[in-house]
Every structure is written in structure tokens, then in C-alpha cells.
Amino acid sequence: MPRAFRSKFALLILASCFSAGLARSDGETQPGRDAKQPIDEAYTAKMKKYTTEPFFTSPLVDYLPASKTVPTPEAVLGDVAGASGILPYSKDVYAYMRMLEKASPRVKVFSIGTTEEGREMIAVAVSSEANLKKLEENRALLGKLADPRTLQLNDAEADKIVAQAVPVYYITGTIHSPETGAPTALMELAYRLAVDESPYVKEIRDGMITLITPVVEVDGRDRMVDIYKWHLAHPGQNYPNLVYWGKYVAHDNNRDAMGVTLKLTENVMNTYVHWNAQVLHDLHESVPYLYDNTIGDGPYNAWIDPILADEWQMIGARNVADMTRFGMPGVFAHGNFDTWSPGYLMFIAALHNGISRLYETFGNGGADTLERTLDPEEYARTWYKQNPPLPKTLWSQRDNNNYEETGLLVSLHYFNENKRMFLKNFYTKAKRSIEKPKSEGPVAYVLPADEARPTLQLELLRVLQKQHVEISRATSALIVALPPKKEKKKSDEKKKEEAKKDEKKDEKPEPTTKTFPAGSYVIRMDQPYSRIADALLDYQYWSPEDPQKTPYDDTGWTFGELYGVQVVRVTDAKILTAPMELVKELNVPGGVKGDGAVFAIENHAEPALASLRYKLKDADLQAVEEAFEAGGRKFAPGTMVVKGADRGQLDSATKELGLQPVALASVPSVKMHPLRAARILLLHTWLSTQTEGWWRLTLDKLGIPYDYASTQTIAGTPDLRAKYDVILFPPVGWGGSLNAIVNGLPTTWGNPLPWETTSLTPNLVGKNDSTPDMRPGLGWDGVAKLQKFVSDGGVLLTVMDTTQFAAQAGMSPSVNVSGSEKMKIIGAVVGTRLVDGNSPIAYGYGEKVAAYCDNGPVFSLTSIAGSRRRRRLGPEMGERPTGRGSKSDPDFAVGRLGVEAPEEPEGETWETPPVTDEQRHNNPRVIPPALRGRVVLRYADSKDLLISGLVEGGNEIAQHPAVVDAPLGKGHVVMFSINPVWRGETQGTYSLVLNTVMNFDSLNAGRKDPDK
Ligand SMILES: [Zn+2]
């Protein structure tokens, strides 16, 4: 449709809405202003002026009702919401919400907690005065629907509540800081909901409570406003990219709804649950013009109630329909967003019996009005986008606000019209969650009391607690029936073979029950929030054949596996009648046992051991290299021996950490080495701080001190080794190539990009790093300094893309790092196997370690510096060349006797191939045995690789090293193909990093090398 015609068409629609506010013949209330209520003429004129096309607005937001008592957003903004050049700080947004609260009995503001940097988060309730007066009473009513056990699951009782309760629709804005439009849209929306007397809005106000958190990522919002102000003050210049959002992570703040490690997740979670809200609707801005991705695409999360999937369709379809009728282009649902991972903030609602929703609207990353040109796939008409966005248009923040507010108003109205159904669904979903043991299973999950890693078990239970899951504890031993083993269909021949074998086997029937000791934790599935517990503890399987070929995010997350603790899925209903009690407070008993001056602490790869090392920084802590026995107890290699520590101090520290030192009669007479409180530097680039943020968060939570510096800073540090023992270089994330890390952003043109606190940018640095210019990278000088750091005895720990950097910079001659070709391991849980349990890096780990992997990279070891693994002619040629004889009867040349060929040295995929005599001949590139890579963990065999999620073409990485210790000079480069520290979900692999840190100057302990 040509644009001119399109405009006329849209104007016609607008004209037809002139008589809005009257009920239509079908009984539905028509959107539009109440002719009797005056409008704020000046405000309305400005809104119109800032709207770049007449069809970028709707009859719901093309006017602003006037009020004599209630201030409009102009009171704090100095202009209308969405005006070009205006982005309010969080405090301005809050100031306005509190002005509304003061001026109108229809608004109440609640403080819902603080951020990591101490900024306040709020929730604003808007509803009729009558509804707000009985807020607590109504909350109690909704609480009964949220927990149908209070109604004895009686549907008739529930119906009575459904008929009178006022639902809560919770809207959250700007979790993603460069997506800047939501705060002003939500300020204006709150005003409209409080003031507008049109029947359409009045119905919403009288019928429901709209709850609004206008800014979710408050720390990031204030930084973003700083950046925007810098931009306005420096017209024509490039402005810095928002490299930090919150204190720890950027975009990933919307992937925390599983692990709940960030304050913003915890605060929204608590608010959602406390209010017994029915909907959580999160606002984003990255797709033109309004993508309601609530419906999304498959696969859907396997743990949601099917009722929710239907609610998504209803709400999403109606949302698109209403806005399409308004003539607003570019409004669509479905699209490519899959609804598999429960990590998104909105998913708090999905797995707590509510409705999750998410909008992507179109933002300019600030409040500039810009000419925007779209990609062909963005403006293409598809089956789900019949009225697509324009290929090119002038776009303003006001346009964005019009879309956001219109979408929210039609959603609220539709929800209100159907609220009895949605409230009944809310109750039914909760009821079905409680009936889960009977109707679908499982019955419970058990975390046994005899867990070898009680502190990690505690951490996992704390996640469930933050998710508001009830945790019980068995008061006596539990005996549960195990599910019967399913027989696989086998060919007749196999059956016969097995029958023969079975005859020979001495008859030992498989156990049919399992016993858990008293004190075991039970996560009962007959509770309202059983679904989130099930989703976190269960296994995920994403088929390589799934029609969805581009998973939107992680495909696997099984928490028991990633925490390295036992979690048993129980299907025997008897467990629910076993004696148990609700756990109010979680803790692990710790403290010193026995008398003596020497203590041993077993090492089960619990991160708390490293916390202890740093808490007792002056004590003599040692790691034993061999097993020993003392007092009738066996201690494995890696056991921590504490000497010369103040007993009282040790006792209080271990009580706090949940560790149990045992007094020994004497120092065990086995080989041991010191465990160090190593001086750590956490290295970051100015390209992205997203992924390393999870590492900072982890170290902070464990109480492990570290310096935090950029590649620029270390390039200017004369002697790194004098300052640091270990440099952690976590993944850079987007584009962490050698070139990017070394060269940074181009500096030969353009202007400096400062990241500094100034009067113009008071919030920018916060508690993170600063630089006068974000562009320069590590530089070749910096590479040399890093190299020298390692050669002088330091340890550089690299992960995923930074291993590639280390390899390409020549710091790991024994390890080749390459990308994969066809493999697809998309954020999955995979199996790894212990290769060298004597390596201090592996202390505390067993034969099998589950780990998080996101497509490698693939490591291969070599004994020849600069060479790839020796190419072979193919497996069938490995045996012998063509000639006479058979496979075992060698060929010989005619005219002389046959000669036996020397046997080819063979090795496993993860091993360093042995050096042949030919290779050794006058070859300066042969790496001496002591300097070759030492494999700590390798990936499991192909068939055992998948634990949870999507693994396709895994043979490319199967059996290859997963963690390698590569010596360089006097030091080491420790290389991870897995990511051991990710989103607070991978606590089971934290100790691989922490062991590296504490044993940094003894990494060669237990190393065995070939002679040549
Ligand atoms: Zn976003």
C-alpha cells in the first residue's frame, strides 16, 4: 500500500472513532475519550506533534484527559511523555509516581526493595479508590485462589471468590537499559488510569488493579540516562555504548528467573507472589513496532500448564486484533521467539500459575527522533505479520510510547472483560499444580541427607526457597519404590544373546526400592508452586529434529546436575504420607569437631572451601596429594589440612560456611602443598562485560577478593606477576576474537568514548571500572605483558573465546583451539569425564562431572608446537597398506623377505599424540613432555554427551579435552571449553576455577609425563 493511501486510510479510522466512548451494539465498550471530560489541550497538541505519522497512535492515546488536581507527566519531564530529548532518571520517574499518589486516591506507591547499588525499586498500584481501600482484603481473597489448599480444593468455594476478587495485572518496564521508552509510557499510563473517565478506562480502573514497576534495572537506567545526556552535550559525536547496565550483568538480567541471583529478579518475584498477581507483563524494545511475543513459537516450555498456552493465544491474538483495527501497522504475535527457557523475568508468572507476557516495541536507544530503515525480514509480510512495519520511517519515542500504552490498555481491557475466566484459570492452574502427584507426576524430588556436598545442596535449596517453593524435611528414613525399568524393544537375536547371558549371571535382582536417611529434603509436588521446582530439577530434551532450528536461549539447565548434587525424582505416592516437617530456615551444620591443633576438611569440590581459604588468610592451609587414614577415617587427595589456625576463628568461620573440620592427632605424613589465598585479577575488556559479570557476582558472593581491571589497564602495568598470582579472563561474549581483544575499537578515526563519572554523568561508573576512552584494547604490548606474567609463574585462566585468544596469541603451544563445523550444543548440560584426578584442579571431583557447554570450542592437544593433530588417511587405512596377505599377515616386497612395520603410536582423542621418532629428529618444535598440555576433564563419549538440552553433531567435541592445564614457562594457561561460571546455575563447576586459584603454584602436583 502506498504511504499516502495508507495515511488516508488510517485517518478514516481515526475519524470513525470520533463518537467513541459509547457502548457498541455487541455490548463491548468502544475505546476513546469521554466527550464530557475536558482534555489537556496543550499536552494533546504536543503528543500529536511528536507522533511522526497519524497511524502511529490510537483512539486510546491520541488525547490526554485533563484534571484539575492530578499533575500530568509534564510536571517532572517539562514536556509530554515520549518527547524528543527527554529521558527521566529513576528518581524523576519515582517523584512523578509519588506526586500521583499524593494527588489521587487511585494511586499507591510501594517500595519493593533495593538494587545491588542501593537504588530503590518501586511498584505503583492504580485502581479505583474503593479497590485500593480494600487492598489487603482483596489480596487475601486472591491468596486463597493462589493456594487452593486453603479452600480444600473446593471449586464452589473458589467460584465465590472468583466472582468478587479484583485481579492484579503486573507491568514491568525497562529491565533492558538501552530500551528506554517504558518509564515515560508507564508514567502516562498511570495518569490515564487514574484520571480518564472514558468508559473504556473506567472499566479497567474499577475492575482490576494495575501494578507497575516503571524501572526494573534501576542502576542501568540511571547509567543510560547519563549516556544520553552525554550524547546531547556532544552533538555529532559517537557516544559510548552502555557497557555496564546493572552492577553485574547487562542483557542477561532477563535470564535470571531460574537462579534468582540478582536483586531485581528477587524483588519482582517477591512482589509478584506477594500480590498474588495473575499476569506479569514485561516491556522490551528491539522489534518494530510491537511484537507481542507472548504466544511466541515452539517449542513451549514442557512444565507449563496447557491452560497457560491457551491464555497466551487468547491474549496475544486479541491484542494484535485490536491494534490492527486501530490501523496501527507492525503489530504481530508468533514470530521466532521460542517459549522454552524459563529464565526470562516474565516466566516468574508462567511457572507460578499466572500468565507471562512480553512486548518488544521499537526504540531508538534514547529519546532522539530518527529516520529508521528496517531489514527486509523486518518489513516482510508473513502469515503472522499481515500488516508489517514500514521499510523506512521517521520514528520517535512518542511513537514508541503510543504503541506501548495502546497495547497495554487493550490488554488490560480485554483482561478485565474476561477476568472471571482468568481468575478461575488462576485458581485451576494452582489446583492442578497441587494435584500434580496424582494427575501427572512426579510426586516429589528428594535431596538426600547423606549428600557429600551439603553446602551446594543448601545453595540449591536456597534457589527453591527464593522461588517460594515449600521445602520439607523427612523426620525419619524414607523408603520409596523405584519406577519399574522400561524394557527397550530388541531384535530377536539380541534377546536370545541376552537370555544366554542372563542364565550365566548369578541372579541378583535389581533393587525396587530406595531408602533415604532421616533429614532428607523433600520437595513435594502437591503444592501450588510445584511447577517451577519441577522445571528446575527435571531433565530437558530438545530434539535435533525440532522444527525450531534457532533456540532463543539455553536449552538445558537441570539444576541438580549443574550444582553437582543428588536430586532424585520420585514417583511413589507413598512418600507424601511419610512423616516430614516444613523447613523454615535452611542451614548446614558446621564447626570444628574433636581436639587438636591440626584439622582435616574433606574436599568435595565445595566452593565454601575457597571462601574459608580467604577468610583465614593468615592460616597455614595445605592440600594433601595422596590419600591417608586418620582416626579410622579415610581422606582422599585434595583434602584440606589446616595447621596453625586459631581454633575459635576456624570454628566460627566453618560454622558460617557449613564446613566440618575434623581434628587429627598429628599432621598426616603424606605429600602436601600449600593452598594459597592467591592474588586474583579479574580481567575485562571494554567490548562487553556481560559474561564476566557472572564471575564477579560469584566471587563476591563467595567472599573472595579480587582486583578488577581492563585490558587497557594491564597493558600499562609494568610487572603483572609482582601484583598478581592468577588472572581470570572469563569469556568476552560477543566477538571476543584476538583482533577484537588486542585492537579494541578503531582509534584512528572518531572521538574518544569516555566511561567516567563527571557532573554530566554522575552514575556511569558506579562500583565498576572507568576509562577516558573505551576504544583501545589490550594492544600487542599488553599481550607481551600477559605472556610474561605466565612465563614468570602466573596462572592465566581462559574460557571459551578467551582460550581462542590465548591459543592464537601463542600462549598455549600444546593446545589447538578451533570452532566446530556442524555441531550445535546450545546452552546445554553435557557430560564430562575425569582424566587426571591427581591434578589439583580436579580435587574433590568424581569420575563424572556435568557441565554447561555452549558450542565448545574444540580443544586438541599436540606435542609439536604450531602443528595441528597429525592427519591420518582415514580409519580403514590405519591398519596396513594394500598388498598381499591378510589383515594380520603382513605384505612383503617381491625379491626380499617381509619386514614388520613399526607399530604406530596410538592415543585417545583427548590425549597428546605421542611423538614419533621421525618427528623427533632435529625438530625444535617438539614440546618437552613437562610442557605439554595436561587434560583434567574431557567431554564424554558421543552417546553420553547429552545430559540436558540440545546436542546435535556432538561427535565433533565428544572425547575432546574440556579442561586443560597448559604449562608455559614457569606458569600455566588453564583453558576451559565448558563455561564453569554461568548465570548462578553452575555451582557444581565453580571449584574447577577455585581449585586453580588456590593451587596456582602447585598445579604440577601429581603430574606424570612420558619419557619423551
Ligand atoms: Zn529487551
Side-chain angles (χ1 to χ4, degrees):
M1 196 189 288
R3 192 189 287 195
F5 182 69
R6 190 190 278 271
S7 309
K8 262 185 222 159
F9 183 69
L11 281 175
L12 272 177
I13 288 182
L14 287 180
S16 74
C17 294
F18 190 70
S19 59
L22 302 167
R24 281 200 302 238
S25 55
D26 62 2
E28 283 201 20
T29 309
Q30 202 157 321
R33 62 168 288 213
D34 169 25
K36 292 193 292 285
Q37 186 179 26
I39 60 167
D40 187 324
E41 300 284 353
Y43 196 105
T44 301
K46 280 187 188 165
M47 290 196 307
K48 193 175 172 195
K49 187 174 149 203
Y50 300 151
T51 300
T52 60
E53 292 284 359
F55 43 80
F56 287 159
T57 187
S58 73
L60 285 168
V61 298
D62 63 359
Y63 68 95
L64 193 82
S67 167
K68 289 203 174 92
T69 50
V70 183
T72 71
E74 202 163 4
V76 297
L77 298 175
D79 204 330
V80 308
S84 188
I86 294 175
L87 278 192
Y89 282 115
S90 58
K91 68 170 171 20
D92 303 324
V93 179
Y94 295 179
Y96 177 67
M97 294 301 192
R98 288 190 161 118
M99 284 166 83
L100 281 183
E101 181 183 37
K102 220 169 164 191
S104 167
R106 296 166 174 173
V107 180
K108 270 191 171 177
V109 179
F110 300 85
S111 203
I112 62 167
T114 54
T115 65
E116 277 78 7
E117 295 189 352
R119 291 182 179 86
E120 186 190 20
M121 285 178 72
I122 63 165
V124 184
V126 194
S127 193
S128 69
E129 190 174 353
N131 287 339
L132 290 189
K133 269 193 181 144
K134 50 176 193 170
L135 213 50
E136 275 309 301
E137 204 183 317
N138 184 62
R139 201 174 69 77
L141 281 181
L142 292 174
K144 290 185 177 169
L145 299 181
D147 187 353
R149 292 174 300 186
T150 59
L151 305 170
Q152 287 76 45
L153 312 191
N154 184 325
D155 293 354
E157 288 301 310
D159 284 338
K160 284 183 205 160
I161 297 171
V162 164
Q164 52 172 316
V166 180
V168 178
Y169 193 112
Y170 188 14
I171 301 165
T172 48
T174 202
I175 184 173
H176 282 168
S177 307
E179 301 166 12
T180 51
T184 48
L186 293 173
M187 287 161 75
E188 195 177 278
L189 181 76
Y191 174 86
R192 290 178 189 281
L193 288 173
V195 165
D196 199 331
E197 295 300 337
S198 74
Y200 194 89
V201 175
K202 199 169 174 307
E203 282 175 15
I204 298 171
R205 179 167 62 239
D206 294 344
M208 56 198 291
I209 296 160
T210 306
L211 191 64
I212 301 169
T213 290
V215 185
V216 173
E217 176 57 274
V218 190
D219 299 334
R221 170 67 181 189
D222 288 356
R223 281 195 244 286
M224 183 64 203
V225 177
D226 277 5
I227 291 274
Y228 187 65
K229 279 166 60 195
W230 192 95
H231 158 63
L232 292 179
H234 299 83
Q237 294 197 25
N238 293 319
Y239 51 97
N241 149 49
L242 195 69
V243 70
Y244 294 98
W245 300 10
K247 176 164 167 51
Y248 293 114
V249 297
H251 193 266
D252 260 11
N253 60 10
N254 194 33
R255 302 293 184 273
D256 189 45
M258 288 193 265
V260 200
T261 61
L262 304 175
K263 293 269 204 174
L264 62 86
T265 317
E266 203 174 339
N267 293 338
V268 170
M269 174 91 67
N270 291 342
T271 305
Y272 179 82
V273 169
H274 172 80
W275 283 76
N276 298 306
Q278 281 64 56
V279 184
L280 179 56
H281 189 155
D282 196 30
L283 302 180
H284 292 252
E285 291 160 37
S286 70
V287 181
Y289 297 131
L290 189 150
Y291 174 25
D292 178 350
N293 78 3
T294 304
I295 312 179
D297 195 2
Y300 280 5
N301 180 278
W303 293 266
I304 58 162
D305 191 307
I307 290 175
L308 173 61
D310 298 333
E311 289 173 325
W312 284 340
Q313 320 292 331
M314 283 189 278
I315 293 184
R318 176 60 187 259
N319 196 152
V320 174
D322 279 351
M323 293 180 77
T324 302
R325 272 198 289 269
F326 293 150
M328 300 175 91
V331 178
F332 66 103
H334 295 289
N336 59 1
F337 174 81
D338 70 65
T339 303
W340 176 248
S341 161
Y344 314 106
L345 187 81
M346 61 157 171
F347 238 77
I348 289 172
L351 289 170
H352 289 81
N353 303 322
I355 301 171
S356 57
R357 300 201 67 205
L358 194 149
Y359 279 170
E360 296 283 4
T361 59
F362 197 39
N364 289 343
D368 290 1
T369 299
L370 299 171
E371 188 92 56
R372 297 294 301 269
T373 308
L374 305 186
D375 290 336
E377 65 265 28
E378 287 178 311
Y379 60 75
R381 187 166 61 83
T382 62
W383 68 266
Y384 56 80
K385 207 193 304 186
Q386 292 293 341
N387 183 5
L390 312 179
K392 191 173 180 180
T393 192
L394 192 67
W395 186 257
S396 67
Q397 175 117 312
R398 182 64 225 179
D399 296 332
N400 183 27
N401 281 187
N402 288 342
Y403 271 77
E404 285 172 313
E405 288 184 60
T406 301
L408 289 169
L409 283 166
V410 299
S411 296
L412 290 167
H413 194 263
Y414 172 70
F415 189 86
N416 183 57
E417 277 183 326
N418 298 282
K419 67 183 164 201
R420 303 301 161 211
M421 174 191 68
F422 286 122
L423 280 170
K424 186 65 188 285
N425 280 357
F426 179 64
Y427 161 79
T428 306
K429 286 184 283 183
K431 182 184 165 192
R432 282 158 54 144
S433 295
I434 293 164
E435 289 173 335
K436 190 172 166 59
K438 267 184 268 169
S439 57
E440 65 198 76
V443 169
Y445 285 89
V446 175
L447 283 75
D450 54 1
E451 172 60 52
R453 295 174 173 141
T455 61
L456 281 170
Q457 182 186 64
L458 178 76
E459 291 298 317
L460 177 49
L461 290 167
R462 279 188 179 142
V463 172
L464 294 172
Q465 203 174 42
K466 282 188 194 168
Q467 294 277 5
H468 296 265
V469 171
E470 292 168 3
I471 299 165
S472 305
R473 200 161 191 195
T475 49
S476 60
L478 299 167
I479 302 169
V480 301
L482 293 173
K485 282 251 157 71
K486 270 196 195 139
E487 287 276 331
K488 262 193 195 166
K489 275 186 194 157
K490 289 171 190 156
S491 67
D492 283 351
E493 209 156 304
K494 263 198 177 165
K495 268 186 196 163
K496 272 183 214 159
E497 264 177 47
E498 297 217 340
K500 268 187 209 162
K501 268 190 208 160
D502 283 348
E503 279 166 29
K504 285 178 200 164
K505 241 195 275 171
D506 39 343
E507 293 288 307
K508 209 177 181 188
E510 289 213 19
T512 54
T513 63
K514 191 171 170 70
T515 305
F516 301 105
S520 292
Y521 291 98
V522 183
I523 315 298
R524 303 172 63 106
M525 291 290 111
D526 58 348
Q527 59 169 306
Y529 299 146
S530 60
R531 290 190 195 281
I532 179 63
D534 194 22
L536 295 180
L537 301 176
D538 206 350
Y539 287 78
Q540 292 77 46
Y541 179 72
W542 183 306
S543 166
E545 306 301 323
D546 195 282
Q548 175 66 267
K549 294 298 174 201
T550 51
Y552 199 83
D553 204 71
D554 284 350
T555 58
W557 51 79
T558 312
F559 269 55
E561 294 283 354
L562 289 178
Y563 274 63
V565 298
Q566 304 173 65
V567 175
V568 183
R569 188 176 189 266
V570 175
T571 53
D572 178 2
K574 269 211 317 286
I575 193 172
L576 297 180
T577 55
M580 60 181 83
E581 56 196 16
L582 262 184
V583 177
K584 291 269 179 287
E585 243 175 84
L586 288 166
N587 58 61
V588 169
V592 175
K593 287 211 166 65
D595 290 320
V598 183
F599 302 89
I601 308 174
E602 284 189 40
N603 187 341
H604 295 291
E606 291 174 283
L609 291 169
S611 301
L612 181 69
R613 170 63 283 185
Y614 282 89
K615 260 184 195 290
L616 306 175
K617 58 182 196 305
D618 298 322
D620 179 3
L621 268 58
Q622 303 268 331
V624 304
E625 296 181 14
E626 295 150 24
F628 69 94
E629 270 190 59
R633 263 178 86 166
K634 281 184 182 166
F635 293 90
T639 296
M640 193 182 245
V641 170
V642 185
K643 294 190 287 187
D646 175 79
R647 186 193 164 97
Q649 224 186 352
L650 179 66
D651 191 54
S652 74
T654 49
K655 270 194 179 122
E656 201 181 306
L657 294 168
L659 296 171
Q660 300 189 350
V662 181
L664 301 178
S666 59
V667 180
S669 55
V670 289
K671 202 170 173 201
M672 54 180 84
H673 64 255
L675 288 166
R676 310 281 192 196
R679 299 164 302 165
I680 303 173
L681 169 70
L682 201 144
L683 180 61
H684 75 91
T685 67
W686 285 103
L687 301 166
S688 166
T689 66
Q690 160 74 22
T691 310
E692 53 92 356
W694 293 115
W695 290 61
R696 275 183 282 134
L697 181 141
T698 298
L699 293 176
D700 285 350
K701 289 207 168 170
L702 290 170
I704 296 176
Y706 58 94
D707 275 3
Y708 179 59
S710 75
T711 46
Q712 291 177 1
T713 305
I714 69 158
T717 305
D719 186 354
L720 285 170
R721 184 67 191 94
K723 284 184 84 172
Y724 302 111
D725 303 313
V726 177
I727 296 180
L728 303 177
F729 197 8
V732 173
W734 301 304
S737 64
L738 175 75
N739 178 25
I741 290 169
V742 172
N743 295 320
L745 292 172
T747 51
T748 46
W749 60 83
N751 53 279
L753 302 173
W755 188 272
E756 287 175 315
T757 290
T758 64
S759 55
L760 190 62
T761 55
N763 307 288
L764 208 51
V765 175
K767 288 169 184 157
N768 294 322
D769 205 357
S770 67
T771 176
D773 187 0
M774 286 166 60
R775 296 174 304 160
L778 177 62
W780 296 107
D781 249 17
V783 174
K785 291 215 167 81
L786 260 187
Q787 219 147 13
K788 188 168 183 322
F789 165 77
V790 179
S791 299
D792 290 352
V795 170
L796 174 66
L797 188 147
T798 58
V799 186
M800 297 171 70
D801 57 13
T802 61
T803 65
Q804 204 116 26
F805 156 79
Q808 287 171 354
M811 286 190 259
S812 66
S814 60
V815 185
N816 288 320
V817 179
S818 58
S820 52
E821 282 162 19
K822 289 184 181 154
M823 182 176 80
K824 258 169 127 177
I825 300 181
I826 313 289
V829 187
V830 301
T832 72
R833 299 289 179 263
L834 190 66
V835 173
D836 191 343
N838 291 321
S839 164
I841 297 170
Y843 284 164
Y845 285 96
E847 288 301 314
K848 294 180 178 181
V849 181
Y852 173 85
C853 173
D854 192 28
N855 252 2
V858 181
F859 293 165
S860 297
L861 265 49
T862 177
S863 43
I864 315 289
S867 98
R868 295 258 144 205
R869 182 172 277 262
R870 211 156 82 84
R871 274 201 169 271
R872 301 179 62 104
L873 289 172
E876 61 282 7
M877 289 301 286
E879 300 289 339
R880 51 156 290 182
T882 309
R884 71 145 295 277
S886 66
K887 219 173 170 185
S888 56
D889 178 11
D891 188 26
F892 58 78
V894 174
R896 62 174 168 83
L897 289 177
V899 210
E900 195 100 27
E903 214 161 288
E904 278 228 353
E906 294 268 3
E908 301 284 1
T909 308
W910 60 88
E911 290 177 341
T912 305
V915 189
T916 64
D917 289 340
E918 282 298 302
Q919 286 171 326
R920 202 174 291 111
H921 181 68
N922 186 32
N923 190 348
R925 296 198 297 164
V926 173
I927 304 170
L931 293 179
R932 290 182 200 156
R934 180 184 192 187
V935 179
V936 180
L937 289 175
R938 67 164 174 94
Y939 285 101
D941 298 354
S942 207
K943 66 176 175 35
D944 301 322
L945 202 53
L946 170 69
I947 292 179
S948 266
L950 168 65
V951 172
E952 185 179 359
N955 54 323
E956 278 188 58
I957 206 166
Q959 295 193 337
H960 281 263
V963 180
V964 186
D965 167 8
L968 183 73
K970 284 188 248 166
H972 299 254
V973 180
V974 177
M975 305 166 80
F976 285 75
S977 165
I978 56 168
N979 188 349
V981 182
W982 178 245
R983 294 180 176 172
E985 297 169 13
T986 58
Q987 305 213 11
T989 47
Y990 286 177
S991 287
L992 293 167
V993 175
L994 302 171
N995 281 341
T996 305
V997 168
M998 289 190 288
N999 296 280
F1000 85 92
D1001 58 351
S1002 302
L1003 288 183
N1004 282 337
R1007 190 179 160 117
K1008 287 188 192 77
D1009 294 316
D1011 303 335
K1012 46 189 184 179

